[in-house]
Amino acid sequence: MNNKYSIADKYFILWAFFIPISSWVIDPTIKGSLISYLLAFLSPLIIICFQKNIAKKYFLDMIEIILVLLLFALISQLANAIYNISLYGTLLVNPGDFDNKIFRNSLITQNMYLIPVILTFLYVKYLYKPSWDKWIIYGGLVFVLYGFYKWLGFLITGADIDFLTNRTFGDSDTVLYQYQGIMLAGMSLQRFQSLTGEPSMFAFTMLPYFIFAIHRKANNIIIIIMGLSILLSVSSTAYLGLVIYVVYMTLISKKKKNFFYLIIGLIVSCLILYMIFSEYIDVIMDMVIFNKMDSVSGMTRSNDFWGDINYFMELDIMHSLFGIGFGYIRSSNLFTTLLVNTGIIGVLSFSYFYLKDFSLKAQNFIKQGNNSIILVLFVISMVAVPEFSYLSFWIFLAISKNNNIRQY
């Protein structure tokens, strides 16, 4: 392999260290001023100046994606003009104005968040090389190590020692920091979140890095550190993702017998650990699973889901097919968010685009890892995470669509 890095390679290597970060911005007054976004906005210059051979395909792809998004936006706004819909009772991104139904401000702002997503996706799709793998992993590792700095700092001092998080949210100037702790053996522990501001979003970000590291056969210490951080998030999102990964790998493995023995071994080990540490495990299980069923958060998620479904069922045919407008509502899951915003055609189009390269018959360990990441991210986003603008959600999809990977 040629280890000489081009300008485009070096640019991505720098970029890779900022892609996982979502709570540290350049200017706190500009909520979307992530360093990874800035690098995304500048990336077309790299294509124009140093990658002219792929520039035509790159920009044609970009135009095609933008035209599809524009088509959805125009049809939904036409439907809003024709039909008298009500926005009351919906989870609007900008809840202050329920009467404005055409070209709401959030239609513009939320589509703007798609720009760095598109630019990142296309850059990786066309320029990815296997030599980038270690830098993607190192980017995830630095992200995790800062999380351990925060986690251990809180354990030792009892205070948040994060000096980087500065992103605000909503219409306030409140920094995006949500302390979520757990009492274990008389100690107050902070749930792992690193530079995301929220444990479930950390799990959503780190799961693909963890799987990627396993299937790129990274150093075992790196894999263990990443895996431990996911467990310390004490997030149902994390555990759901891990279960999906294990089940998928079991189903496609040619050595199902070995995987069967592995699962049995894990179950036995878990039972033994439970007998020894049952008091502590009960606390974690209550927080992650049982208490969530009756918690305000759990009830809110359930109410949001069924509220969105009921709202969608009352829409006219045009809105049912194309939605009321991308960026209008933001629910607690991506499925109903897309369903109301972009309609049935939008959900089907997104699902096809994201799952197009997924296969149950991956022939090698690398492709199995790519498929695992696609499946895990798709499922947990649809059921538990409404975010579409996290760049980690898209770089791994882009890698699976890259020609260098398809040749494996």
Side-chain angles (χ1 to χ4, degrees):
M1 179 186 297
N2 183 6
N3 289 320
K4 184 177 180 181
Y5 293 111
S6 67
I7 296 295
D9 295 333
K10 292 176 181 177
Y11 189 83
F12 180 81
I13 289 170
L14 171 65
W15 196 354
F17 286 92
F18 296 100
I19 283 175
I21 298 171
S22 58
S23 66
W24 178 30
V25 293
I26 300 170
D27 183 353
T29 62
I30 305 174
K31 298 176 176 63
S33 60
L34 294 167
I35 297 175
S36 59
Y37 281 13
L38 174 62
L39 292 170
F41 283 121
L42 294 174
S43 64
L45 295 177
I46 301 296
I47 302 294
I48 294 170
C49 296
F50 304 104
Q51 297 291 326
K52 295 179 181 179
N53 59 314
I54 58 106
K56 182 178 180 180
K57 292 187 293 183
Y58 171 89
F59 284 107
L60 284 176
D61 258 13
M62 186 189 302
I63 292 170
E64 183 179 338
I65 293 171
I66 292 173
L67 287 176
V68 170
L69 295 174
L70 183 61
L71 178 65
F72 270 94
L74 292 177
I75 294 176
S76 66
Q77 298 313 294
L78 176 62
N80 291 350
I82 295 174
Y83 296 95
N84 184 28
I85 62 167
S86 172
L87 298 179
Y88 287 91
T90 59
L91 301 166
L92 293 176
V93 172
N94 294 329
D97 183 6
F98 287 92
D99 295 323
N100 180 18
K101 301 170 187 176
I102 301 176
F103 290 106
R104 291 176 60 86
N105 182 57
S106 62
L107 176 72
I108 309 300
T109 58
Q110 294 301 298
N111 272 282
M112 286 179 64
Y113 278 107
L114 285 176
I115 298 174
V117 165
I118 295 168
L119 295 176
T120 304
F121 172 79
L122 292 177
Y123 193 95
V124 177
K125 175 187 175 183
Y126 282 108
L127 296 179
Y128 165 80
K129 300 173 184 175
S131 60
W132 291 10
D133 291 351
K134 66 179 180 180
W135 298 107
I136 294 172
I137 294 168
Y138 290 158
L141 178 62
V142 171
F143 177 67
V144 166
L145 290 177
Y146 187 81
F148 272 107
Y149 156 77
K150 285 180 59 176
W151 188 84
L152 291 171
F154 185 88
L155 179 65
I156 296 169
T157 67
D160 176 40
I161 61 171
D162 184 358
F163 60 90
L164 288 178
T165 294
N166 63 352
R167 189 177 186 182
T168 60
F169 66 99
D171 296 321
S172 68
D173 294 324
T174 306
V175 171
L176 178 57
Y177 171 75
Q178 302 176 27
Y179 166 72
Q180 296 191 34
I182 180 174
M183 292 297 298
L184 194 62
M187 295 186 299
S188 178
L189 302 178
Q190 187 184 58
R191 294 172 62 192
F192 212 95
Q193 58 184 265
S194 190
L195 287 168
T196 60
E198 208 277 325
S200 65
M201 295 314 302
F202 170 79
F204 178 67
T205 301
M206 185 45 53
L207 276 166
Y209 281 92
F210 174 62
I211 298 171
F212 191 81
I214 291 174
H215 288 262
R216 262 53 177 190
K217 299 181 180 179
N219 186 289
N220 288 334
I221 294 176
I222 294 177
I223 295 173
I224 291 171
I225 290 172
M226 288 182 173
L228 180 60
S229 70
I230 291 172
L231 295 176
L232 289 174
S233 70
V234 196
S235 166
S236 55
T237 300
Y239 301 146
L240 173 61
L242 292 173
V243 168
I244 293 170
Y245 171 63
V246 171
V247 170
Y248 171 76
M249 289 302 296
T250 302
L251 291 174
I252 68 170
S253 174
K254 295 179 180 179
K255 300 178 180 178
K256 289 186 172 62
K257 188 175 181 180
N258 290 348
F259 263 92
F260 176 76
Y261 289 140
L262 174 63
I263 297 300
I264 295 297
L266 286 172
I267 292 173
V268 172
S269 299
C270 289
L271 290 174
I272 294 173
L273 287 172
Y274 181 77
M275 287 188 288
I276 299 173
F277 302 106
S278 60
E279 180 181 350
Y280 309 131
I281 294 174
D282 284 343
V283 173
I284 295 173
M285 292 296 288
D286 282 342
M287 170 169 282
V288 176
I289 300 176
F290 303 117
N291 284 351
K292 276 204 170 184
M293 295 178 182
D294 300 320
S295 68
V296 174
S297 173
M299 293 179 66
T300 300
R301 285 176 177 272
S302 178
N303 290 337
D304 289 349
F305 177 84
W306 290 112
D308 291 339
I309 294 296
N310 290 333
Y311 179 81
F312 174 78
M313 295 300 292
E314 295 177 359
L315 291 174
D316 55 85
I317 184 64
M318 196 170 178
H319 280 112
S320 296
L321 291 176
F322 293 98
I324 64 175
F326 182 81
Y328 270 43
I329 77 154
R330 184 180 187 276
S331 189
S332 54
N333 63 86
L334 190 59
F335 172 69
T336 58
T337 299
L338 287 176
L339 186 64
V340 174
N341 284 341
T342 64
I344 294 173
I345 293 179
V347 172
L348 293 177
S349 299
F350 170 79
S351 300
Y352 173 76
F353 179 76
Y354 209 86
L355 298 175
K356 180 181 177 182
D357 295 286
F358 174 79
S359 173
L360 285 172
K361 298 179 180 180
Q363 298 299 314
N364 60 62
F365 199 55
I366 287 179
K367 283 194 173 182
Q368 289 171 0
N370 292 338
N371 283 330
S372 299
I373 291 171
I374 290 172
L375 181 63
V376 167
L377 288 178
F378 181 80
V379 174
I380 63 177
S381 64
M382 282 299 200
V383 303
V385 179
E387 284 294 343
F388 61 87
S389 60
Y390 276 44
L391 299 188
S392 57
F393 186 65
W394 296 99
I395 63 167
F396 296 103
L397 177 67
I399 288 172
S400 71
K401 293 180 180 293
N402 177 270
N403 286 331
N404 289 328
I405 285 295
R406 290 181 173 180
Q407 291 171 6
Y408 277 99

